[in-house]
Amino acid sequence: MASPSSSAADPAQHKYLQCLTNHSSTPISQAIYFPTDPLYTSTLESNIRNLVYASDSTPRPLFIVAATHVSHIQSTILCCKAHGLQLRIRSGGHDFDGLSYVSPSPFVLLDLFNLRSVTIDVESETAWVNSGATLGELYHEIAGNIKILGFPGGVCPTVGVGGFLSGGGYGNLMRKHGLSVDNVVDAIIVDSDGRVLDREAMGEDLFWAINGGGGASFGVIVSWKIRLVPVPETVTVFRVERTLEQGASDVVHKWQLIADKLHEDLFIRVVLIPVPAKFNALFLGKTERLMGLMDHEFPELGLSPADCLEMSWIESVLFWSNYPPETSTEVLRDRHPELQSIKSGKRKSDYVVTPIPKASLEGIWAKMMESGKTGFVFNPYGGAMDEVPAAETAFPHRAGNLYKIQYSIGWKEPGVEAEEKYLGDIRRMYSYMTPFVSKNPRRAYMNYRDLDIGTVKRGSKNSYAEGKVYGDKYFDGNFERLVKVKTAVDPNYFFWNEQSVPVLPGKVEL
C-alpha cells in the first residue's frame, strides 16, 4: 500500500495529500500512490491494455487514487477541482485509445479496481455491481448464486463494468435481451460537486445520459443496479470456419441477409482475419432445435450436429473467451489472465445498413490481405435491438442496422515506425470501407474508442462544434440531449476528455 511518509516528502505531494485527507470522511492515505511510491508503476501498468500507452513518453498521473470507499472518490473530485487538475477514471482499462488513464494535461488517475463487489438478489432477479468489477467477476457471482439467470454483457471477461455499461456495452445475448443498458434499473454517481446521487436524486435526464452516453462525461459512477435475464439450463455453441475454396464469400453474403432476421435465441458472429471466415454462435437452447433453425434459415453454412456443443450459460462464457474445455469458471475472477498477450493495438467501428454485394465482399477480402493484419468482426443486430426506440437510452444504434463492424489491428514490434505502419494499415482499411457503411453521419460505437473521428481541445471556445463531429457519430440523434444534460450537471466542464460530451456554446467557465 501507499506510504504516507514518502508522500509527504515533496511539498506538492504534501499539499495534495492534505487536501485529500481533509475532504475524505474515511482514511485515504493508504489508497494514494505518488510516483515515489514503490507500487506506483505496477498499479498504473496493471490495467493498461494497450502498450501504445505504456511507453516512456506517455504522460503519467501526478498520483493515483485507488479508491476503496466512495468518500475517496468525493475527495479526489473536490481536490482536483481545487488545484486545477484533470481527472481520469479507470475501471478495467480497456479504453482502446487510453482516455481512462492518459491525459495531455497534469492529471490524477482515479482507479476503481478496489471497488468491485457484486451483490446478487435472486428473489428480485437483480444485482448491484460496482464499477471496478470485471464482467468475469459479475458472471462468476451470478452463476454461483443461480444457474438460470445471466446478464447481456460482453464476451471479454476482463472488461471493467463501469466503462462497459456506461458506453452501452453489448454481447451475444443482445438479440434476445438487448444491451447492458437496457437492463440497468439504478445507479450511484458522484457528480462534479462531490454529491452522491442515486437514480431518484440524479433525475431521469442524467440517468438516461449515463446509460450509453459515457459515464466519464458526467461524473464517477460508483455502482449499478442491473436486471438479470433468464437463460436456459442448456445452451448450444459452435465455432466453424469456411475458406474461400469452401465458398466463404457466398456464406458471408447470405449471413448478411439473414443474421438480423434469425430467431432472437440465435447470435452468430463472423470473424475475418481475413480468411478463413469464422462463424461463432450462441444459441439459447439445445442442438436439436438449433439444427432445425439452421437447416431452414442458413443451410449455406453447412452446420452439422457434430459442430455443436451443449453446455451451461456460464460455460459458454468460457467458450466465447477461447478458454480450453474443462477450464474452471474460477478463471473468470482473474482480472489479468491475458497479461502475457497484451500488445499495442487500434480499434475502429462502423454500422452496416444495407448488405454488401458479394463482388464487393471479395474486394474487401483482397484489400484485407493487401493491408496485412487488420481484422474484422461482424456482430448481428435484429431481435430485441429492433424493439427498443433509439431515444430510449443514450445509445442510439438500434433498428435499421444489419450489423456492426469492429476493425482491429495489433502488433508486438516496439517503436514509432511500427506504430505508424500499423495505424496506417487500419486507417486505409477503414477508408476503403466508406461506400459500404452508414452515412450522414458515418456512425461509430463509443466503446470502441477512436480518436481518429474527432477530438475536443481542453478550454476550446469551439468545444461544442468540435464535440459535434464525433458526438453525432457516436450518439446520432441523441447528441443534442446529451449536450443539454452535460450543460446542466457539469457546466464548468470539469469532467473533460478528448471525446467527452461538450457543453452548450458560451456555457463553459474555466
Side-chain angles (χ1 to χ4, degrees):
M1 298 300 290
S3 167
S5 59
S6 65
S7 299
D10 180 275
Q13 294 179 3
H14 177 78
K15 175 181 66 176
Y16 299 140
L17 178 60
Q18 194 63 50
C19 181
L20 291 162
T21 301
N22 290 343
H23 283 94
S24 180
S25 64
T26 58
I28 192 173
S29 63
Q30 294 297 308
I32 304 168
Y33 299 88
F34 289 100
T36 51
D37 192 287
L39 294 181
Y40 171 90
T41 298
S42 61
T43 303
L44 174 63
E45 294 181 351
S46 64
N47 285 307
I48 292 178
R49 311 287 180 169
N50 187 347
L51 295 183
V52 168
Y53 304 105
S55 70
D56 292 338
S57 62
T58 302
R60 292 190 159 207
L62 295 174
F63 57 90
I64 302 166
V65 179
T68 60
H69 190 271
V70 68
S71 67
H72 298 167
I73 298 173
Q74 294 172 288
S75 63
T76 303
I77 291 172
L78 295 174
C79 291
C80 284
K81 288 179 68 175
H83 294 286
L85 302 176
Q86 287 297 295
L87 180 64
R88 294 295 156 112
I89 308 153
R90 182 168 72 176
S91 56
H94 283 77
D95 187 313
F96 289 128
D97 273 353
L99 298 193
S100 66
Y101 52 88
V102 178
S103 174
S105 305
F107 73 104
V108 174
L109 172 59
L110 177 61
D111 210 326
L112 302 179
F113 67 89
N114 283 321
L115 295 172
R116 59 177 189 263
S117 69
V118 181
T119 304
I120 308 295
D121 187 331
V122 173
E123 184 175 350
S124 67
E125 299 184 353
T126 61
W128 274 103
V129 53
N130 281 353
S131 284
T134 64
L135 293 176
E137 289 171 324
L138 170 61
Y139 299 155
H140 182 274
E141 195 66 23
I142 294 171
N145 280 268
I146 186 168
K147 305 299 183 185
I148 56 172
L149 292 177
F151 184 71
V155 301
C156 177
T158 58
V159 168
V161 164
F164 176 82
L165 284 178
S166 67
Y170 76 98
N172 54 20
L173 292 176
M174 74 178 194
R175 301 190 67 252
K176 178 72 172 183
H177 296 294
L179 300 173
S180 57
V181 292
D182 299 329
N183 296 278
V184 173
V185 295
D186 203 346
I188 304 294
I189 189 172
V190 182
D191 71 5
S192 60
D193 292 321
R195 297 179 300 175
V196 181
L197 309 171
D198 63 5
R199 179 175 182 172
E200 182 179 4
M202 75 176 80
E204 287 304 301
D205 283 338
L206 180 52
F207 183 74
W208 173 87
I210 63 175
N211 281 285
S217 284
F218 302 96
V220 179
I221 304 170
V222 184
S223 57
W224 307 77
K225 186 178 183 181
I226 57 175
R227 178 172 50 248
L228 306 181
V229 301
V231 293
E233 291 185 4
T234 301
V235 303
T236 303
V237 298
F238 66 78
R239 185 183 294 126
V240 299
E241 299 181 354
R242 296 293 180 262
T243 64
L244 289 176
E245 293 74 19
Q246 293 172 316
S249 296
D250 289 316
V251 179
V252 173
H253 184 258
K254 178 61 182 290
W255 175 91
Q256 288 186 106
L257 303 178
I258 54 92
D260 68 310
K261 302 174 185 65
L262 293 170
H263 193 285
E264 62 185 9
D265 285 348
L266 178 56
F267 180 96
I268 306 177
R269 163 184 280 186
V270 179
V271 180
L272 304 164
I273 317 180
V275 287
K278 299 178 181 180
F279 297 83
N280 301 339
L282 171 69
F283 178 65
L284 300 176
K286 295 186 177 182
T287 301
E288 182 179 2
R289 185 162 72 95
L290 170 62
M291 289 304 304
L293 289 172
M294 293 295 291
D295 289 345
H296 183 259
E297 301 287 346
F298 197 13
E300 292 81 358
L301 184 60
L303 187 72
S304 73
D307 297 318
C308 302
L309 296 171
E310 293 185 347
M311 58 187 62
S312 66
W313 169 73
I314 195 65
E315 289 170 335
S316 78
V317 171
L318 298 176
F319 175 89
W320 271 74
S321 300
N322 297 312
Y323 284 107
E326 310 304 323
T327 299
S328 168
T329 57
E330 287 300 306
V331 74
L332 296 173
R333 302 175 66 186
D334 185 351
R335 298 175 67 90
H336 309 290
E338 81 289 19
L339 276 180
Q340 298 304 314
S341 63
I342 291 176
K343 56 182 125 178
S344 299
K346 176 68 180 173
R347 302 290 190 276
K348 299 177 80 67
S349 61
D350 262 320
Y351 287 87
V352 175
V353 296
T354 57
I356 300 172
K358 178 186 171 184
S360 298
L361 286 175
E362 291 173 341
I364 292 169
W365 310 157
K367 186 68 176 178
M368 290 177 74
M369 287 185 272
E370 173 192 318
S371 72
K373 299 177 69 172
T374 300
F376 288 26
V377 177
F378 294 172
N379 292 288
Y381 265 51
M385 293 300 293
D386 286 350
E387 299 168 4
V388 179
E392 184 73 17
T393 68
F395 180 94
H397 312 296
R398 303 286 188 167
N401 293 293
L402 299 181
Y403 58 96
K404 171 166 51 189
I405 300 176
Q406 177 191 176
Y407 307 88
S408 64
I409 195 165
W411 64 95
K412 284 284 191 179
E413 300 95 316
V416 174
E417 185 175 337
E419 180 179 340
E420 291 177 349
K421 175 192 181 302
Y422 290 113
L423 290 180
D425 288 347
I426 192 171
R427 287 165 179 162
R428 283 187 292 274
M429 195 71 242
Y430 179 79
S431 177
Y432 182 86
M433 292 296 293
T434 303
F436 311 119
V437 298
S438 62
K439 300 171 178 64
N440 302 316
R442 182 176 182 173
R443 298 193 292 274
Y445 173 45
M446 196 199 76
N447 272 358
Y448 294 160
R449 181 80 73 181
D450 182 9
L451 294 181
D452 291 348
I453 67 173
T455 58
V456 60
K457 298 179 180 66
R458 176 64 181 167
S460 172
K461 294 181 180 179
N462 300 311
S463 63
Y464 171 81
E466 293 170 359
K468 186 172 174 59
V469 173
Y470 58 83
D472 281 346
K473 296 172 183 177
Y474 286 145
F475 306 118
D476 204 11
N478 291 335
F479 174 69
E480 298 297 339
R481 183 180 176 188
L482 283 167
V483 171
K484 291 177 181 177
V485 176
K486 172 72 170 178
T487 305
V489 303
D490 186 23
N492 294 331
Y493 213 173
F494 171 71
F495 289 109
W496 169 87
N497 62 51
E498 291 87 338
Q499 285 194 339
S500 52
V501 174
V503 297
L504 286 168
K507 300 296 184 181
V508 186
E509 301 174 9
L510 294 173

